[in-house]
Amino acid sequence: MSEEIVEDVVYANLKFQDSDKKEETPNSEKCGAEVSSAPSHSQHKPVLILILLCLLLFIGMVVLGGIFYTTLETEMIKLNQLQDIKKELQGNVSLQLMHNLKSSKKIRNLSAMLQNIATQLCRELCKKEPEHKCKPCPKGSEWYKDSCYSQLNGFETWQKSEMLCSARNASLLKIKNKNVLEFIKLKMLRSYWLWLSPRKDYKYPETVNEKFLSEGFEGSTHDLTRMYCGYIDGMYVYYMLCTDKNRIICEETARKVQVESVLNDLPEGST
């Protein structure tokens, strides 16, 4: 009886130990499966990091693009404003220039008118006082239209007469315009050298007319031996040897009348 009980107990222990081994074996297999699955999870992390970096880079590019577009739009607005300001300034400058030109033209017109008035007043003053300080000619000369005429004392050759006139910043009488013709007719000058080109051959007298207006001076004045020079006598132009002697009259352009020299002599009530 006691032996059967002992066998039963031994059998039960062996069965229990056998069941424990069966339970350990599945557990060990599960652990192996879990260990083998761990490496596959760690391989997904770099991929996720790359995806995250790409996403951040894309977001950064979008943000930078937005900032660039906004900045560009702002600068374009500023540029348009500057161009508008530039156009406005150019318009203002153009208007100012036009105004200045008109003002300058008015000033020139007023100045010319004042100069003409002063010249007319000076002529009237010179009629009463031939050597008035407003006279735009050298002392002793005659003022006619826009020229001054100075008759020198004595007789000289044509060349020496020309030198004397040059020393006075003048020249021998030139028949250069109708005003000179009027002066010659008015004064009936007698035997005065003219600023005409010396000639190699003698020329018969000619009436003073507008034909002489187109005649200029040609040739040299260094050697005038046996050359013929013209002179005025009444209403005719004659020719004689340039080495002979004749009267001298010099001509020069009159200066502008100084307005102050006229205004200072006007009566107080007239200014």
Side-chain angles (χ1 to χ4, degrees), residues 32-45:
E34 291 179 359
V35 171
S36 62
S37 62
S40 63
H41 178 70
S42 61
Q43 290 176 357
H44 291 299
K45 286 184 179 181

Side-chain angles (χ1 to χ4, degrees), residues 92-160:
N92 293 336
V93 170
S94 299
L95 291 174
Q96 186 65 36
L97 288 174
M98 291 178 62
H99 177 72
N100 292 341
L101 288 175
K102 290 180 181 179
S103 300
S104 299
K105 187 176 181 180
K106 289 180 180 179
I107 292 172
R108 287 195 300 268
N109 292 338
L110 289 173
S111 179
M113 184 175 65
L114 183 61
Q115 184 67 48
N116 291 334
I117 293 173
T119 302
Q120 294 174 5
L121 290 173
C122 184
R123 291 187 188 279
E124 295 299 323
L125 292 171
C126 287
K127 288 179 181 179
K128 299 177 181 180
E129 186 182 346
E131 296 300 328
H132 192 275
K133 63 181 181 180
C134 72
K135 180 181 174 182
C137 293
K139 188 176 181 179
S141 61
E142 185 172 355
W143 179 25
Y144 186 81
K145 296 296 176 68
D146 57 352
S147 296
C148 303
Y149 301 92
S150 302
Q151 298 181 27
L152 306 185
N153 296 326
F155 294 79
E156 290 293 346
T157 63
W158 188 94
Q159 190 173 28
K160 183 62 180 294

Side-chain angles (χ1 to χ4, degrees), residues 34-250:
E34 291 179 359
V35 171
S36 62
S37 62
S40 63
H41 178 70
S42 61
Q43 290 176 357
H44 291 299
K45 286 184 179 181
V47 177
L48 293 175
I49 291 172
L50 288 175
I51 294 173
L52 181 60
L53 289 175
C54 292
L55 182 62
L56 291 174
L57 181 62
F58 176 75
I59 293 172
M61 292 179 65
V62 171
V63 172
L64 288 175
I67 294 172
F68 175 77
Y69 177 78
T70 305
T71 305
L72 179 63
E73 188 177 9
T74 304
E75 293 300 323
M76 289 298 295
I77 293 172
K78 290 181 180 179
L79 180 61
N80 292 332
Q81 291 175 349
L82 289 174
Q83 288 178 347
D84 293 338
I85 294 172
K86 180 182 177 182
K87 290 180 181 179
E88 185 177 357
L89 289 174
Q90 288 177 342
N92 293 336
V93 170
S94 299
L95 291 174
Q96 186 65 36
L97 288 174
M98 291 178 62
H99 177 72
N100 292 341
L101 288 175
K102 290 180 181 179
S103 300
S104 299
K105 187 176 181 180
K106 289 180 180 179
I107 292 172
R108 287 195 300 268
N109 292 338
L110 289 173
S111 179
M113 184 175 65
L114 183 61
Q115 184 67 48
N116 291 334
I117 293 173
T119 302
Q120 294 174 5
L121 290 173
C122 184
R123 291 187 188 279
E124 295 299 323
L125 292 171
C126 287
K127 288 179 181 179
K128 299 177 181 180
E129 186 182 346
E131 296 300 328
H132 192 275
K133 63 181 181 180
C134 72
K135 180 181 174 182
C137 293
K139 188 176 181 179
S141 61
E142 185 172 355
W143 179 25
Y144 186 81
K145 296 296 176 68
D146 57 352
S147 296
C148 303
Y149 301 92
S150 302
Q151 298 181 27
L152 306 185
N153 296 326
F155 294 79
E156 290 293 346
T157 63
W158 188 94
Q159 190 173 28
K160 183 62 180 294
S161 300
E162 189 269 333
M163 292 173 62
L164 291 172
C165 288
S166 295
R168 301 167 62 95
N169 293 322
S171 67
L172 290 174
L173 181 62
K174 297 178 182 178
I175 307 176
K176 59 183 179 181
N177 54 42
K178 293 182 179 180
N179 291 336
V180 179
L181 287 175
E182 290 177 6
F183 178 78
I184 292 173
K185 293 177 181 179
L186 179 66
K187 296 298 179 181
M188 292 297 292
L189 301 174
R190 297 291 180 182
S191 299
Y192 284 93
W193 287 120
L194 291 174
W195 183 259
L196 292 175
S197 298
R199 304 174 58 89
K200 292 183 178 180
D201 55 335
Y202 178 78
K203 191 175 184 180
Y204 288 100
E206 297 178 284
T207 304
V208 176
N209 52 44
E210 296 184 2
K211 181 191 76 171
F212 290 94
L213 299 180
S214 59
E215 289 194 14
F217 187 87
E218 298 178 358
S220 173
T221 61
H222 294 296
D223 185 12
L224 299 179
T225 305
R226 304 195 64 80
M227 300 282 286
Y228 292 90
C229 295
Y231 66 95
I232 186 73
D233 193 356
M235 292 301 299
Y236 292 90
V237 175
Y238 295 86
Y239 290 88
M240 61 188 296
L241 289 172
C242 298
T243 53
D244 291 342
K245 293 186 178 182
N246 225 334
R247 289 190 174 96
I248 310 166
I249 182 169
C250 302

